[in-house]
Amino acid sequence: NAFGANKPERMRETLQQGLWLALFIGLICLIAMPLFTPPLLRLMSVDPALHASINAYVTYVALGLPAAAMFQTLRSYNEA
């Protein structure tokens, strides 16, 4: 733990790596969630009348994931 070891330069590096990782994972989810939602809905036998609204909801949630992941990284950093 960089905080406990009193190494502020290591804390900055850890934060930067965490932010890049959060952005990367968020972008993967941004691409994957809308892409895999239609096949999953068909697999689960969801009423086709609901597909459009579910796809829209999942897309909007996916758009917010990179920012939410980065927020969680900053929150964890500030709570350390």
Side-chain angles (χ1 to χ4, degrees), residues 3-66:
F3 180 74
N6 197 20
K7 296 182 179 178
E9 66 282 347
R10 182 76 176 121
M11 290 173 23
R12 284 189 293 274
E13 293 170 8
T14 303
L15 174 63
Q16 289 172 354
Q17 290 175 2
L19 287 172
W20 281 115
L21 183 62
L23 180 63
F24 179 71
I25 291 172
L27 290 175
I28 288 175
C29 290
L30 173 62
I31 294 167
M33 285 177 62
L35 186 66
F36 291 114
T37 299
L40 286 173
L41 292 176
R42 286 191 298 276
L43 184 67
M44 295 187 304
S45 302
V46 174
D47 183 12
L50 298 173
H51 285 208
S53 59
I54 293 171
N55 284 330
Y57 175 77
V58 169
T59 300
Y60 289 127
V61 169
L63 286 171
L65 282 178

